[in-house]
Amino acid sequence: MPTDSDIAFMREAIAQARLAAEEGEVPIGAVIVRGGEIIARAHNRKESDRDPTAHAEILAIRQAAELFPSWRVEDAALYVTMEPCPMCAGAILSARIGRVVYGTADYKAGAVRTLYRLLEDERLNHRCEVVPDVLADECHALLRDFFRDQRALGKK
């Protein structure tokens, strides 16, 4: 069950997703929170950076990791507007993030609850608490509207 803080932090992730859309990127945004404060903010930059790994989650994890003495981003929560893909779920596990809150499901690549359950797989050496569907309708609408507009412009 999402808390009031979960909703507030998801709104910050949504603000990042809107920045992505303004830049012509798929509107996915992420923030990382530790101790009740946002320590990293990012949005998709695959097109801008010409980098297939420039997902919002990966960029936020890189930013947050710079604040720690090692690669572990422990005692932190990641808020992201769309369910992480397998690459991002792997990075979340590798970074030892303890909690993931996401907006809308990803029916084509979701690796948290939709196609796979990587963050809760007991065979792996780390697991995360997962809170799905926080402001899901708003997160979904951002993606739906973005792709509708892209199709109207003749883009794939």
Side-chain angles (χ1 to χ4, degrees), residues 5 7-20 23 28-34 36-45 49 54-68 73 76-81 97:
S5 294
I7 292 167
F9 290 129
M10 185 59 73
R11 290 205 184 285
E12 293 294 327
I14 289 169
Q16 287 295 308
R18 286 193 172 109
L19 290 174
E23 295 173 9
I28 299 172
V31 298
I32 296 180
V33 175
R34 187 170 192 235
E37 292 187 30
I38 295 174
I39 61 169
R41 299 171 193 269
H43 56 275
N44 271 10
R45 293 193 46 85
D49 293 355
H55 290 203
E57 302 96 318
I58 300 290
L59 297 174
I61 290 168
R62 287 177 185 161
Q63 194 180 112
E66 291 178 9
L67 304 173
F68 292 84
V73 184
L78 170 72
Y79 293 81
V80 61
T81 56
I97 291 172

Side-chain angles (χ1 to χ4, degrees), residues 8 12 14 16-17 22 28 33-34 38 47 50 58 66-67 78 89 93-94 104 117 122 131-132 134-135 147 154 156:
E12 293 294 327
I14 289 169
Q16 287 295 308
E22 289 172 15
I28 299 172
V33 175
R34 187 170 192 235
I38 295 174
E47 302 299 329
R50 295 186 312 196
I58 300 290
E66 291 178 9
L67 304 173
L78 170 72
L93 293 170
S94 292
T104 191
R117 295 178 76 100
E122 292 186 9
V131 180
V134 175
L135 300 177
F147 286 113
K156 290 185 179 183

Side-chain angles (χ1 to χ4, degrees), residues 14 23 25 28 30 32 45 52-53 65 74 79 111 113-114 116 130 135 140 142 145:
I14 289 169
E23 295 173 9
E25 298 280 353
I28 299 172
I32 296 180
R45 293 193 46 85
T53 70
E74 295 175 312
Y79 293 81
R113 289 277 172 91
T114 304
Y116 306 101
V130 174
L135 300 177
H140 177 77
L142 281 170
D145 295 349

Side-chain angles (χ1 to χ4, degrees), residues 61-149:
I61 290 168
R62 287 177 185 161
Q63 194 180 112
E66 291 178 9
L67 304 173
F68 292 84
S70 78
W71 49 266
R72 291 175 184 87
V73 184
E74 295 175 312
D75 302 320
L78 170 72
Y79 293 81
V80 61
T81 56
M82 189 164 89
E83 178 182 7
C85 71
M87 175 183 69
C88 292
I92 290 163
L93 293 170
S94 292
R96 305 298 194 267
I97 291 172
R99 189 164 188 261
V100 172
V101 180
Y102 70 86
T104 191
D106 182 350
Y107 295 103
K108 294 184 178 183
V112 175
R113 289 277 172 91
T114 304
L115 300 179
Y116 306 101
R117 295 178 76 100
L118 291 178
L119 300 185
E120 299 167 304
D121 191 324
E122 292 186 9
R123 296 169 296 177
L124 300 174
N125 65 344
H126 180 73
R127 282 166 294 291
C128 302
E129 176 188 352
V130 174
V131 180
D133 305 321
V134 175
L135 300 177
D137 291 342
E138 191 171 341
C139 294
H140 177 77
L142 281 170
L143 290 158
R144 182 196 62 224
D145 295 349
F146 174 80
F147 286 113
R148 180 199 61 219
D149 295 346

